[in-house]
Amino acid sequence: MEFCTQIATQSILNEMNKNADKVRENVNLWVEKETRGLIKEILPKTVELAPPLSLANALYFRGSWEDPFMAWKTKHKKFHILNREIIDVPFLNSYDVYRSYASLDDFKVLKLPYERGIGYDGKPLQFSMYLLLPHDTYGLKDMVKKFNSDPELLAPKSLNNHLRKVELSRVSIPKMKFSYGVDAKELLEDQGLTLPFSVKDADFSNMVNVYPVPNVYVDSMVHKSCIEVNEEGTEAAAATFARMVFGFDPDCEPTPVSTFVADHPFMFMIVEEFTNLVVSTGAVLDPQN
């Protein structure tokens, strides 16, 4: 098992305007290195760079299943996507196995543990993947709405209260390899986190100690993630870049069933069990994209 996070900060008051392309290249190379090549370009040329500060972070995870899927059992099966088309994708399969499982009102939960590891501080780490499969073949949107209205339902502690080790005659999940990017600033603002993006209220004085200086706020933020799930385990990476710029405020000073078959869209989370830290989460709409 390998899990690491890295954070890079670069003060660019003087060199940014002269050497933005070099800074962009350095950030992209750093992210590629820290994510083991899974994310190659966090900063396209369309993202402008400006003083006084840029922040980048990267996460990399690689874990082997505690109970691997046998490659010879991998078979192509039907997967229903949300536009009601049906596609053929390879599925990982296990039969007559004991797994942590629960069937709730609107969805099923399956927990698949990875092999235990040791952190940099010498403490044990135990990661697991949680798969949340709506009962309704096309019920993912309704399930997500329910989680948004009551986030506690999605908390690992809450899910574990329902999980029981039961015998499942069949476990079948699609092999996955996909990546996505998102405007993280827009996403966070939609969720109510607005303070870092406010010219008036943002406070990064402990990070940018230049005087005299106008207020500094986060002007843009981009995020990329990717994940691959196969017979041996999971490899995942994520990276985020935030551009911080000067700003002036003009107004003031600064019951168990026998199978778990994920043949339609579902959610997943990778969780560190000792801390209940969610290190990766997403929704599988099409395992091939």
Side-chain angles (χ1 to χ4, degrees), residues 26 42 88 102 105 117 128 160:
N26 288 341
I42 185 66
D88 279 328
D105 291 342
S128 300
N160 274 301

PDB file of all heavy atoms in Angstrom, residues 26 42 88 102 105 117 128 160:
ATOM      1  N   ASN A  26       6.949  23.861 -14.188  1.00  0.00           N
ATOM      2  CA  ASN A  26       7.409  23.278 -12.919  1.00  0.00           C
ATOM      3  C   ASN A  26       6.256  22.675 -12.120  1.00  0.00           C
ATOM      4  O   ASN A  26       6.391  21.596 -11.530  1.00  0.00           O
ATOM      5  CB  ASN A  26       8.118  24.348 -12.090  1.00  0.00           C
ATOM      6  CG  ASN A  26       9.467  24.732 -12.653  1.00  0.00           C
ATOM      7  OD1 ASN A  26      10.045  23.988 -13.449  1.00  0.00           O
ATOM      8  ND2 ASN A  26       9.981  25.883 -12.272  1.00  0.00           N
ATOM      9  N   ILE A  42      -1.983  19.559 -14.710  1.00  0.00           N
ATOM     10  CA  ILE A  42      -2.976  20.219 -13.879  1.00  0.00           C
ATOM     11  C   ILE A  42      -3.221  21.640 -14.369  1.00  0.00           C
ATOM     12  O   ILE A  42      -4.308  22.186 -14.201  1.00  0.00           O
ATOM     13  CB  ILE A  42      -2.541  20.212 -12.390  1.00  0.00           C
ATOM     14  CG1 ILE A  42      -3.630  20.799 -11.475  1.00  0.00           C
ATOM     15  CG2 ILE A  42      -1.239  20.976 -12.201  1.00  0.00           C
ATOM     16  CD1 ILE A  42      -4.879  19.994 -11.412  1.00  0.00           C
ATOM     17  N   ASP A  88     -21.226  -3.005 -22.921  1.00  0.00           N
ATOM     18  CA  ASP A  88     -20.488  -4.174 -22.429  1.00  0.00           C
ATOM     19  C   ASP A  88     -19.179  -3.706 -21.820  1.00  0.00           C
ATOM     20  O   ASP A  88     -18.391  -3.020 -22.480  1.00  0.00           O
ATOM     21  CB  ASP A  88     -20.184  -5.150 -23.569  1.00  0.00           C
ATOM     22  CG  ASP A  88     -21.372  -6.034 -23.901  1.00  0.00           C
ATOM     23  OD1 ASP A  88     -22.146  -6.345 -22.979  1.00  0.00           O
ATOM     24  OD2 ASP A  88     -21.543  -6.391 -25.082  1.00  0.00           O
ATOM     25  N   ALA A 102     -24.522  -4.154   3.450  1.00  0.00           N
ATOM     26  CA  ALA A 102     -25.790  -3.714   4.026  1.00  0.00           C
ATOM     27  C   ALA A 102     -26.738  -3.352   2.895  1.00  0.00           C
ATOM     28  O   ALA A 102     -26.314  -2.866   1.835  1.00  0.00           O
ATOM     29  CB  ALA A 102     -25.605  -2.505   4.949  1.00  0.00           C
ATOM     30  N   ASP A 105     -32.691   1.467   2.728  1.00  0.00           N
ATOM     31  CA  ASP A 105     -33.957   1.766   2.057  1.00  0.00           C
ATOM     32  C   ASP A 105     -33.788   2.027   0.569  1.00  0.00           C
ATOM     33  O   ASP A 105     -34.572   1.546  -0.246  1.00  0.00           O
ATOM     34  CB  ASP A 105     -34.629   2.976   2.711  1.00  0.00           C
ATOM     35  CG  ASP A 105     -35.131   2.679   4.112  1.00  0.00           C
ATOM     36  OD1 ASP A 105     -35.275   1.478   4.437  1.00  0.00           O
ATOM     37  OD2 ASP A 105     -35.355   3.633   4.876  1.00  0.00           O
ATOM     38  N   GLY A 117      -1.514  -1.138   5.846  1.00  0.00           N
ATOM     39  CA  GLY A 117      -0.200  -0.542   5.647  1.00  0.00           C
ATOM     40  C   GLY A 117       0.251   0.231   6.871  1.00  0.00           C
ATOM     41  O   GLY A 117      -0.420   0.250   7.905  1.00  0.00           O
ATOM     42  N   SER A 128     -10.236   1.272   2.903  1.00  0.00           N
ATOM     43  CA  SER A 128     -11.289   0.444   2.316  1.00  0.00           C
ATOM     44  C   SER A 128     -11.992   1.243   1.236  1.00  0.00           C
ATOM     45  O   SER A 128     -12.047   2.474   1.280  1.00  0.00           O
ATOM     46  CB  SER A 128     -12.318   0.018   3.370  1.00  0.00           C
ATOM     47  OG  SER A 128     -11.734  -0.740   4.403  1.00  0.00           O
ATOM     48  N   ASN A 160     -20.856   2.303   8.605  1.00  0.00           N
ATOM     49  CA  ASN A 160     -20.359   1.128   9.324  1.00  0.00           C
ATOM     50  C   ASN A 160     -21.348   0.618  10.370  1.00  0.00           C
ATOM     51  O   ASN A 160     -21.309  -0.564  10.733  1.00  0.00           O
ATOM     52  CB  ASN A 160     -19.016   1.450   9.985  1.00  0.00           C
ATOM     53  CG  ASN A 160     -17.847   1.249   9.035  1.00  0.00           C
ATOM     54  OD1 ASN A 160     -17.638   0.167   8.521  1.00  0.00           O
ATOM     55  ND2 ASN A 160     -17.099   2.307   8.785  1.00  0.00           N
TER      56      ASN A 160
END
